[in-house]
Amino acid sequence: MDAFLFQVLAGLATGGIYASLALALVMIYQATHHVNFAQGEMAMFTTYIAWSLMDAGLPYWPTFLLTLMVAFLLGVAIERLVIRPVEHAPVLAVVVVFIALLVILNSVTGWIYTYTLKPFPSPFPEEPLWGIRYMSPHEIGAIGITLLVLVALYLFFRFTPLGLAMRAAAQNPQSARLVGIRVGWMLALGWGLAAGIGAVAGMMVAPIVYLDPNMMGGVLLYAFAAALVGGIDNPWGAVLGGFLVGVLENLLGAFVIGNELKLSVALVIIVGVLLVRPSGLFGTVHVTRV
Amino acid sequence: MALLEVNGLRAAYGQTRVLHGLDFALEKGSITALLGANGAGKTTTLRALCGVVKTQGEVRFAGARIDGRATEDIVRLGVAHVPDGRGTFLDLTTEENLRLGAYTRKDRAAVAADLERVYGYFPRLRERREQQAGTLSGGEQQMLAVSRALMLSPRLMLLDEPSFGLAPLVVRELFQILRRINERERVSMLLVEQNAALALELADSAYLIETGRVVLAGSAAELKRDDAVRRAYLGY
Ligand SMILES: Nc1ncnc2c1ncn2[C@@H]1O[C@H](COP(=O)(O)OP(=O)(O)O)[C@@H](O)[C@H]1O
Ligand SMILES: [Mg+2]
């Protein structure tokens, strides 16, 4: 029983990280109807920036905040410079751009930092928090940070005029323009936010898996599975899907198929969802008129 | 002085020319109607005025050129569009739709007052303020579209077939409110209608458009008396 609980709780911690990245995917999907395959590499790249800042002597939390800002600007810049020019291009062209972005970010990082694993610090203490022995302090902290990010995003989108404008621009760009919303900038802002969320996910996962240019490959796959389970157009579903996939991955890995095959869980989930319920558990079913 | 002056307005969708050099003007404080059969180019004209479709020709609003400017900037000058199809943000609540109408405004107290005033005109919307706009009836969505435009505190409203799909009783109510808004709040209106009888009741002056050209212009009273208009558009 102890072992079971242990795996569930550990699954929740990584699940939070999948949830964050899944949310970033959903945000961009809602606004553009594209899946940003480079989301994971963007997160990885910004985590390296955090590593550099700390390597230069900056303490953890200032680094954390600075990295969020850098990630935000990077996201905005990528949308403006790379995505904007292919706005009206065919889907396949856009996919190619995303893949190119993925490969470029990966190889540039490898070229700057090499492919050797680097340890990445956790901001949370070593010794058990509040005497909790089922979860490491980093796991508890990662869940806490994830929830904090989610709550902040919820408040932003629900209660601020800018958040409302971003939702409006994603839903109905034409009408959004007619009330004076600068839709292009809203998209760029969405990319900035998504990149910021990804950076948090990267900094939370790096202490667990070590920093390496390929560290987000698996995470992105799980996040993609999470987004699909939840319904690619439903932020709440994506978050729930993230936690679900995290727990499932851990339980199956520990008790059923072993750790070596864990990643295939993500693939099975993806294929399963696409076959059985393409709109996800919580997504809206789109009926196309013919 | 004319609030809106249009000279030689041309527009096309791809290779298909739709407007062939439109000329018309709208007096400040007036309700001016654009009449014409389905496909004449009325919707395209309104889209052209607020920069949704690319155009050639000259458009002046309050004396300044606005042709070629971005829609978002034209809106900031006080031009509110009630678009064809209503343009509802379906997944947002009624009140969120209304708040978006005031997105460009910074005067928060005045916005709050305008929200109350709009609810005063359309009490149904107040009842449904927390409801998803997509669940509103067609008539309610049309009221919402008009209200969203009002939330801009506009100088000019472009109304694209506000009567479309509404029951006659609802139409009468809506048009009474439009008249009140025009008289009390001095909002000028460019009204597009297929229902010419209805439009000529409300409007001060009108232009008749056929295949992208103005073929007739005059006061509403003159157009009502015109034989051709009567036969083709009024049906008596
Ligand atoms: N998005 C579009 N793409 C191509 N042609 C269009 C489009 N919208 C309208 N048209 C054409 O332009 C002409 C004028 O349309 P429109 O301005 O909607 O007329 P109205 O509003 O007077 O009914 C019609 O022939 C119509 O088929
Ligand atoms: Mg029309």
Coordinates of all heavy atoms in Angstrom, one line a residue, chain B residues 13 16 18 36-45 47 160-161 192 194, ligand 1:
Chain B
Y13 N -12.9 40.8 -53.9 CA -12.5 39.6 -53.2 C -11.6 38.8 -54.2 O -12.2 38.2 -55.1 CB -13.7 38.7 -52.8 CG -14.6 39.4 -51.7 CD1 -15.8 40.0 -52.0 CD2 -14.2 39.5 -50.4 CE1 -16.6 40.6 -51.1 CE2 -14.9 40.1 -49.4 CZ -16.2 40.6 -49.8 OH -16.9 41.2 -48.8
T16 N -12.4 39.0 -58.0 CA -13.8 39.4 -58.2 C -14.1 40.8 -57.7 O -14.1 41.0 -56.5 CB -14.8 38.5 -57.5 OG1 -14.3 37.1 -57.6 CG2 -16.2 38.6 -58.1
V18 N -16.2 43.8 -56.5 CA -17.5 43.9 -55.9 C -18.0 45.3 -55.8 O -19.2 45.6 -56.1 CB -17.5 43.2 -54.5 CG1 -18.8 43.4 -53.8 CG2 -17.2 41.7 -54.7
G36 N -30.4 47.9 -51.0 CA -30.0 47.2 -52.2 C -30.4 45.7 -52.1 O -30.5 45.2 -50.9
A37 N -30.5 45.0 -53.2 CA -30.8 43.6 -53.1 C -29.7 42.8 -52.6 O -28.5 43.3 -52.4 CB -31.1 43.1 -54.5
N38 N -30.0 41.5 -52.3 CA -29.0 40.6 -51.8 C -27.8 40.5 -52.9 O -28.1 40.4 -54.0 CB -29.6 39.2 -51.7 CG -28.8 38.3 -50.8 OD1 -27.8 38.7 -50.3 ND2 -29.3 37.1 -50.7
G39 N -26.6 40.7 -52.4 CA -25.4 40.6 -53.3 C -25.0 41.9 -53.9 O -24.1 41.9 -54.7
A40 N -25.7 43.0 -53.6 CA -25.4 44.3 -54.2 C -24.1 44.8 -53.7 O -23.5 45.6 -54.5 CB -26.5 45.3 -53.9
G41 N -23.6 44.4 -52.6 CA -22.4 44.9 -52.1 C -22.5 45.8 -50.8 O -21.5 46.5 -50.4
K42 N -23.6 45.6 -50.1 CA -23.8 46.5 -48.9 C -22.8 46.0 -47.8 O -22.2 46.9 -47.2 CB -25.3 46.3 -48.4 CG -26.3 46.6 -49.5 CD -27.7 46.5 -49.0 CE -28.1 45.1 -48.6 NZ -28.1 44.1 -49.7
T43 N -22.8 44.7 -47.5 CA -21.9 44.2 -46.4 C -20.5 44.6 -46.8 O -19.7 45.0 -45.9 CB -22.1 42.7 -46.3 OG1 -23.4 42.4 -45.8 CG2 -21.1 42.1 -45.3
T44 N -20.1 44.4 -48.0 CA -18.7 44.7 -48.4 C -18.4 46.2 -48.2 O -17.3 46.5 -47.8 CB -18.5 44.3 -49.9 OG1 -19.0 43.0 -50.1 CG2 -17.1 44.5 -50.3
T45 N -19.4 47.0 -48.5 CA -19.2 48.5 -48.2 C -18.8 48.7 -46.8 O -17.9 49.4 -46.5 CB -20.4 49.3 -48.6 OG1 -20.8 49.0 -50.0 CG2 -20.2 50.8 -48.5
R47 N -17.7 46.6 -44.6 CA -16.4 46.0 -44.3 C -15.2 46.9 -44.8 O -14.2 47.0 -44.2 CB -16.3 44.6 -45.0 CG -17.1 43.6 -44.3 CD -16.7 42.2 -44.8 NE -17.5 41.2 -44.3 CZ -18.0 40.1 -45.0 NH1 -17.7 40.0 -46.3 NH2 -18.8 39.3 -44.4
D160 N -25.2 46.3 -39.9 CA -25.5 45.5 -41.1 C -26.7 44.6 -40.9 O -26.6 43.6 -40.1 CB -24.2 44.6 -41.3 CG -24.2 44.0 -42.7 OD1 -25.3 44.0 -43.4 OD2 -23.1 43.6 -43.2
E161 N -27.8 44.9 -41.5 CA -29.0 44.2 -41.4 C -29.4 43.8 -40.0 O -29.5 42.6 -39.7 CB -29.0 42.9 -42.3 CG -28.6 43.3 -43.7 CD -29.3 42.5 -44.8 OE1 -30.4 42.1 -44.5 OE2 -28.7 42.3 -45.8
V192 N -27.6 49.4 -43.1 CA -27.7 48.6 -44.2 C -28.9 47.7 -44.1 O -29.1 47.1 -43.0 CB -26.4 47.7 -44.4 CG1 -26.7 46.5 -45.3 CG2 -25.3 48.5 -45.1
Q194 N -31.9 45.1 -46.3 CA -32.6 44.6 -47.5 C -34.0 45.0 -47.4 O -34.7 45.2 -48.4 CB -32.5 43.1 -47.5 CG -31.4 42.5 -48.4 CD -31.6 41.0 -48.5 OE1 -32.5 40.6 -49.2 NE2 -30.8 40.3 -47.8
Ligands
LIG1 N1 -15.9 36.6 -48.7 C1 -16.2 36.7 -49.9 N2 -15.5 36.1 -50.9 C2 -15.9 36.2 -52.2 N3 -16.9 36.9 -52.6 C3 -17.7 37.5 -51.7 C4 -17.4 37.4 -50.3 N4 -18.4 38.1 -49.7 C5 -19.2 38.5 -50.6 N5 -18.9 38.2 -51.8 C6 -19.5 38.5 -53.1 O1 -19.6 39.9 -53.2 C7 -20.8 40.4 -53.7 C8 -21.4 41.4 -52.7 O2 -21.6 40.7 -51.4 P1 -22.2 41.5 -50.2 O3 -21.4 42.7 -49.9 O4 -22.2 40.5 -49.1 O5 -23.6 41.9 -50.6 P2 -24.9 42.3 -49.7 O6 -24.4 42.5 -48.3 O7 -25.4 43.6 -50.4 O8 -25.9 41.2 -49.8 C9 -21.7 39.2 -53.8 O9 -21.7 38.8 -55.2 C10 -21.0 38.1 -53.0 O10 -21.2 36.8 -53.6

